[in-house]
Amino acid sequence: MSQKIALHTRLKPGKEAEYDSVHARIGDELDAALRAAGVTGWSIWRSGRELFHVVEVADYQAMRKELALNPVNIEWQAVMAELLEVADDYSGADMGLPKVWELP
């Protein structure tokens, strides 16, 4: 059984095109790291500077803790820190956005 986690992040002003560009294709090593950490899907939508993510993963907290120590992810997060208003600490303590409603 996998989890579906929603996340929200915000870009720094003027970083929209750069963010889109670096996400046009992530590197094979990052792809492999995400999959090895249990990620089966990750989609991102952008409205202006607002980013909305849906992550499909076996165990969200375990994935975050594993990626916190992965050199490929550490390098990726350094790039993201230049683009996002708040850098991610990958502590694994968060649970994403709370679900308010779902079509039954």
Side-chain angles (χ1 to χ4, degrees):
M1 181 94 184
S2 71
Q3 297 175 297
K4 193 178 285 189
I5 305 293
L7 305 170
H8 172 252
T9 53
R10 180 176 296 119
L11 292 171
K12 292 178 180 176
K15 296 295 186 176
E16 297 89 344
E18 187 176 352
Y19 184 86
D20 291 356
S21 176
V22 298
H23 280 84
R25 184 183 184 288
I26 66 167
D28 292 340
E29 287 182 328
L30 180 59
D31 183 282
L34 290 169
R35 292 177 191 281
V39 176
T40 57
W42 195 315
S43 300
I44 304 170
W45 291 264
R46 183 173 65 75
S47 177
R49 293 175 39 222
E50 306 300 317
L51 301 168
F52 302 93
H53 313 243
V54 174
V55 182
E56 295 176 63
V57 61
D59 181 332
Y60 180 69
Q61 280 72 40
M63 176 270 290
R64 302 280 282 185
K65 290 175 183 175
E66 182 176 333
L67 289 177
L69 304 174
N70 185 301
V72 173
N73 185 61
I74 292 168
E75 184 178 326
W76 178 257
Q77 292 308 316
V79 172
M80 291 300 101
E82 297 298 316
L83 304 175
L84 299 173
E85 281 193 352
V86 177
D88 201 332
D89 69 1
Y90 268 77
S91 67
D94 73 286
M95 286 297 300
L97 297 172
K99 186 186 292 185
V100 176
W101 181 83
E102 181 176 6
L103 182 66

